[in-house]
Every structure is written in structure tokens, then in C-alpha cells.
Amino acid sequence: MFAPSPSQLATIPRNRVAGLLAGSPKAELHVHIEGTLEPELIFALAQRNGVTLPYADVEALRNAYAFTDLQSFLDLYYAGCDVLRTEQDFFDLAWAYFERAARDHVVRVEPFFDPQSHTARGIGFAVFMPAFIQAAQRAQDELGLSVGWILSVLRHLPEDEALQTLRAAEPWLDHIIGLGLDSSERGNPPGKFVRVFARARQLGLHRVAHAGEEGPPEFVRGALDVLGVERIDHGVRASEDAALMERLARQQTPLTVCPLSNVRLCVVPDLAQHNLPQLLAAGIKVTVNSDDPAYFGGYVNDNLLQLFAAQPSLGASQAYALLRNSLEASFAADADKALWIAQLDARWQDAGRVA
Ligand code: ADE
Ligand code: ZN
């Protein structure tokens, strides 16, 4: 199966693009499992674990999701984690997300988990890792969904604590594909985490980092040069630096962009003004992702569909590129990627023929 040609893509009318986006195989490369904790599940787990929440009901909690910046979100996100106590809680969280992702035709997901938001509460790897492993196995068996877990360290905490976290993860490394870096970007440059990323490299882990979400373009450069990352999470502020844009395009470094997150955290004013089309037009390997879908109002298909609805310049060729980029940028085995890309191409070839 060949990729649809530019002329074939050009024949696909814009009103068919939404259906193709929603129904095509895709990878989700930027989702925090703790960010998939829906208010309904927060209340159910609070009840199960005897935790009293400072909100009367689900609606009151949802109403609190009015963020002014990244930190205002993180404060609620870490508070939400407090209801996650037992192995069953972590399993229920992961399994609910995998079922939801499969409905969006996600075939590969590389979710982040934040060990330090659990170990700080006395909940160790022996509680959450078996749950994550079992949920991933069931997703593969029952949903045909391939899962690769990425351990993410919190950048507002000292590097020594990140190193301790990576050490604690060593018995579980058969089930972890990479190291990530998240949490408060301002004031916490990539250079703070040189040793932990060097150790991850020695351990054979993939490396990614949040950069250029609220932080400046220099943090994107630092993540590449100092941490040696293979993908940049967010990276939208790269557009402020023409030389960096040119480098990202030349190196084909994937950016895992999260449009609804960027709007909800006031990184961009609205979807109509999101710079994703500009990044894509510059030749950068952009992907669309959901970040923390329970907090930002949408899973991956919502991100794709709402962005395309808001941006008239986006059509079939951009839609195909975003889907294909997601599969190519994943850390899955080459044979799996080739199979998913062939399935994607078959779907888009058909659409081109019947247009
Ligand atoms: N942790 C969860 N979501 C995040 C985001 N968007 N940026 C940084 N850290 C995060
Ligand atoms: Zn994120």
C-alpha cells in the first residue's frame, strides 16, 4: 500500500475530513495517565477510599477547572491524585482510559505516569506498576491497543529526587519505554536534569521532555542539546525562534502538540489562533494529542476535530500528515508502525478514490 499522493489528498473534500480523522488509526503520544482521571472517577474512588473531597459533587469539581496558567492546573491535578490509593484504583484509572482511547481508534499510546505524585504520599512502585502492567496487557489482548509507559519526573523537585525515582523504577524497566520531564516549566530549565537523562540513556530508555509550553524556545534547545531528547512535548513556543523552527524541521524532531490544553492553560488565546498550522507548514513533524483530557475537555479525536473546525486552512493533506506523524513518531517496533501506516494509507486511498 502506498501513501496517498498530494493530488489524491487534494481531491478529498473538506467535509469528509472529520470522519477520516476520527476513524483512522492513530497514536496518542502525550497523555498523562493521572490527567485522565475524570471527576466521576475521582468521586467514586474518594468514596471507596473514605477520602473527603472539598467539593459537593462532580459538577462543583468540574466548575473548578477554570485555569489561568500551568501552575493553577497543576495544583488541582496533584490534589486529584490523592484519591488514587490502591492497585485497584490505578488499574481502574488506566483501564478506563484505554477503553476511551480505543473508541478514538488509537492503536498505540505512550502514556506518562508521575511516580513522585504517588511516592510522596507513601504509595510506591509496587502498588501502581502491577496495575499499569496488567491494564496494558488487557488493552493489548482485548482492544488491540499497544501501550508503552513513559516514567515522567517532576521538574519542580530536585534532580536527586528524580534520580532516586529512576533507581526505584529499575526492577520495572521491562515495562517502561522511556523517561519524560513534566510539571512547572518556568524556573526549571532542562539543564537541571542532565544526570537523570544521562542515566536513562545508559539504561536504554527513550527520552522526551516537556519544553516550550510556557518556557522559552531556549528550553526546547536545551532539551535537545543537554538532555538528548528524541521528542519535544508541546514545543509550541518554538515558533518564536526561526532558527529553532528550521532545526526542528531539518532534524524531523517530533512535537507532541496538545491544542485544547494550550487553550485551557492560556498558552494560546483560542483554537483559531493556535500555531499548529504554522509549525506543520514549516515541515516540522507535528502530532496532535490530549495531555490531560479529563481536565481540558477532550480526548485525542476532540483535539483533532475541534482544531480542524476552528482553522479553515487545515484540510485533507494536513489531516493525513498529522495522523501519519503520530504513528511514525511513536517508539513502537518498526513492524507494528509499518502495519498501522498501511492501514491508515488503505483508508485514505479509498477516500481519495470515492471522492
Ligand atoms: N503535567 C501534566 N500535564 C502537564 C502539562 N501540560 N505541562 C507540564 N506538566 C504537566
Ligand atoms: Zn503534558
Side-chain angles (χ1 to χ4, degrees):
M1 185 56 65
F2 300 107
S5 66
S7 58
Q8 273 175 318
L9 289 169
T11 64
I12 299 174
R14 201 163 185 278
N15 63 9
R16 295 210 52 209
V17 171
L20 283 162
L21 275 172
S24 290
K26 59 185 67 74
E28 163 74 272
L29 305 178
H30 184 163
V31 61
H32 301 262
I33 200 67
E34 295 88 352
T36 70
L37 183 54
E38 291 284 350
E40 289 78 5
L41 189 54
I42 291 184
F43 269 83
L45 296 181
Q47 188 167 29
R48 185 151 97 190
N49 293 322
V51 176
T52 306
L53 295 170
Y55 301 93
D57 52 28
V58 164
E59 201 191 330
L61 176 57
R62 222 177 230 119
N63 287 341
Y65 294 176
F67 311 116
T68 50
D69 60 6
L70 175 58
Q71 193 59 52
S72 65
F73 154 70
L74 290 171
D75 293 344
L76 263 181
Y77 163 89
Y78 295 127
C81 288
D82 187 42
V83 298
L84 295 163
R85 302 274 172 104
T86 67
E87 184 177 329
Q88 185 69 48
D89 299 341
F90 286 96
F91 177 85
D92 291 348
L93 170 71
W95 179 247
Y97 169 67
F98 293 149
E99 283 194 302
R100 181 67 187 77
R103 292 210 298 276
D104 279 0
H105 297 264
V106 173
V107 293
R108 168 74 175 177
V109 58
E110 298 178 1
F112 297 116
F113 64 105
D114 287 342
Q116 289 155 290
S117 39
H118 313 305
T119 53
R121 302 180 289 117
I123 291 159
F125 279 74
V127 176
F128 50 79
M129 282 315 299
F132 291 159
I133 293 165
Q134 202 196 332
Q137 186 62 53
R138 186 166 167 198
Q140 182 68 66
D141 295 345
E142 293 184 20
L143 305 170
L145 172 60
S146 163
V147 180
W149 290 102
I150 299 181
L151 182 164
S152 198
V153 291
L154 302 182
R155 69 198 305 159
H156 67 276
L157 297 175
E159 190 189 30
D160 280 345
E161 291 180 25
L163 281 162
Q164 275 168 28
T165 303
L166 187 54
R167 216 169 294 124
E170 285 191 20
W172 306 96
L173 288 187
D174 285 351
H175 303 280
I176 296 171
I177 62 163
L179 178 73
L181 179 66
D182 66 354
S183 192
S184 325
E185 192 179 5
R186 287 194 189 121
N188 295 297
K192 187 175 160 186
F193 294 94
V194 174
R195 290 178 301 149
V196 70
F197 275 77
R199 179 68 187 140
R201 186 191 199 114
Q202 281 174 352
L203 291 168
L205 293 170
H206 289 289
R207 284 143 293 130
V208 300
H210 284 53
E213 179 186 21
E214 283 191 342
E218 296 77 66
F219 282 19
V220 175
R221 227 182 252 109
L224 295 169
D225 293 335
V226 183
L227 305 183
V229 302
E230 299 154 78
R231 294 196 302 242
I232 296 287
D233 296 312
H234 293 294
V236 289
R237 286 196 58 194
S239 65
E240 295 168 25
D241 182 328
L244 178 59
M245 291 275 279
E246 197 274 324
R247 175 180 177 186
L248 292 169
R250 183 169 26 85
Q251 294 182 176
Q252 287 291 283
T253 306
L255 300 189
T256 64
V257 175
C258 308
L260 288 172
S261 163
N262 294 153
V263 173
R264 294 295 286 269
L265 300 187
C266 307
V267 170
V268 300
D270 55 37
L271 284 179
Q273 294 178 70
H274 198 285
N275 66 356
L276 181 141
Q278 184 194 346
L279 298 166
L280 205 51
I284 297 172
K285 201 187 238 338
V286 179
T287 67
V288 168
N289 306 272
S290 66
D291 206 3
D292 301 284
Y295 292 87
F296 300 149
Y299 287 78
V300 65
N301 278 359
D302 301 312
N303 274 271
L304 285 162
L305 297 179
Q306 290 185 39
L307 181 71
F308 273 67
Q311 295 249 4
S313 74
L314 295 175
S317 69
Q318 290 84 3
Y320 173 78
L322 289 168
L323 294 166
R324 188 179 177 114
N325 287 350
S326 77
L327 297 168
E328 287 181 351
S330 89
F331 296 135
D334 285 344
D336 289 337
K337 297 207 280 194
L339 182 71
W340 297 323
I341 290 169
Q343 290 166 349
L344 174 73
D345 286 351
R347 205 176 176 92
W348 284 71
Q349 292 272 3
D350 285 349
R353 260 193 292 280
V354 298

